[in-house]
Amino acid sequence: MSGKSTKIRNENTVWHEPTIYRNNRESLNEHRSVIMWFTGLSGAGKSTLAHALEDYLHNKGIRTFVLDGDNIRHGLCKDLGFSDADRTENIRRIGEVSKILIDAGVLTMTAFISPFRKDRRLVRELVADGDFIEIYCKASLETCENRDVKGLYKKARAGQIQEFTGISSPYEEPERPELIIDTANNTVETCVDQVVRYLETNKYI
Amino acid sequence: MSGKSTKIRNENTVWHEPTIYRNNRESLNEHRSVIMWFTGLSGAGKSTLAHALEDYLHNKGIRTFVLDGDNIRHGLCKDLGFSDADRTENIRRIGEVSKILIDAGVLTMTAFISPFRKDRRLVRELVADGDFIEIYCKASLETCENRDVKGLYKKARAGQIQEFTGISSPYEEPERPELIIDTANNTVETCVDQVVRYLETNKYI
């Protein structure tokens, strides 16, 4: 097989140059791609907001994907637990997959507590400026604990769940997130509108 | 924030139901998604074929992505080496990412030696029937070693690269791949045509 140009980068892997890049995929899709990183306490509404936003964006013809516990913890990260080290590795892998997805032209949303600043910063630094939108789903521990739809906080208080963020493991609030969404006092629709306005104002969509 | 329906699957994760699924994304894209898994010896032409195929498909309006050493070994799998165990974990993660990409509606190509049958079978079993096309890029060790564009085989023979597939680590040929491409005796264009015919015949594109 006659070869394309190749180059070598380490001892035992030869790389072959692609001809199709992210900008070609964005052109085909007629929209940009970006990582929208939702962070916040359990019960703050990250997944709910991400899926509602995906519904809105998809119906506008935008290629979207939501990474969440369902497709990560049972798959790519099923070897990981909930210790600090495993949470860090979990977030690192989610960051790398998000980077692949935006390279593939997909507007990518992630819905994980991601409690540690250093882990979120690591993901931000994986990609170019403007490719990472940190969205803090802000609801107080009291609000989240009062909701406690599935009784997780109650179990954490009873010591039946270890290292539960906000109870027995810290949550470090974002210092300079691109967006703060008050998910305690607004409907899903209002929260979606706020994110959509940000995307429009900053020419993502 | 008023909630959507949720369900619980383990002790400390609550899942929120999405409304947008792979079939919605495929409808938006107006094409199917699938994993095309290229396997074969180093130098057999996996990456070259995958990138040439991507060029063809992208220009037909198909959303594509190629996973290869460049975007995996320096990112998601940068913590892994080349031992048998690390190769297995490498392929497992690539399989999981491929699954995410086809869920995102992307026709996904992977270009890794992936020398072990059990690892390739594990990926095949991750997805539904028809979602995994195993493509054996067939070129003899002699052919690949004679090409040796970057001198990797020479280094492996000299013991400067450890566990090099075909020399000091086994390559297990696919037993029932969907496609066998003779990359030793054909041009890239002919190989691309053969894969495209398979995709058309089987209604992937």
Side-chain angles (χ1 to χ4, degrees), chain B residues 66-170:
Chain B
V66 178
L67 293 169
D68 59 17
D70 199 12
N71 49 35
I72 289 292
R73 279 285 183 183
H74 288 195
L76 181 66
C77 295
K78 68 179 179 187
D79 54 322
L80 302 174
F82 290 87
S83 69
D84 284 9
D86 277 6
R87 282 175 190 250
T88 292
E89 173 63 7
N90 185 51
I91 297 301
R92 186 191 76 80
R93 292 189 199 168
I94 293 162
E96 294 287 0
V97 172
S98 300
K99 185 180 178 183
I100 287 170
L101 281 165
I102 64 168
D103 282 348
V106 177
L107 191 149
T108 304
M109 289 160 272
T110 68
F112 299 91
I113 298 171
S114 49
F116 303 127
R117 278 187 200 122
K118 70 171 171 48
D119 296 343
R120 297 192 301 262
R121 189 169 52 238
L122 185 147
V123 177
R124 183 185 289 274
E125 289 169 358
L126 274 183
V127 295
D129 281 354
D131 281 347
F132 182 84
I133 303 172
E134 189 172 3
I135 302 173
Y136 178 27
C137 295
K138 189 171 185 175
S140 69
L141 177 60
E142 190 184 5
T143 298
C144 294
E145 192 165 0
N146 282 340
R147 284 179 185 166
D148 205 12
V149 186
K150 295 296 174 186
L152 296 176
Y153 281 95
K154 194 177 170 191
K155 286 185 179 176
R157 289 286 184 198
Q160 292 163 26
I161 303 174
Q162 305 301 314
E163 304 187 275
F164 194 85
T165 299
I167 307 293
S168 43
S169 186

Side-chain angles (χ1 to χ4, degrees), chain A residues 182-198:
Chain A
D182 176 0
T183 53
N185 301 299
N186 290 291
T187 65
V188 178
E189 292 68 29
T190 302
C191 296
V192 168
D193 283 349
Q194 193 178 341
V195 179
V196 168
R197 274 201 309 278
Y198 180 89

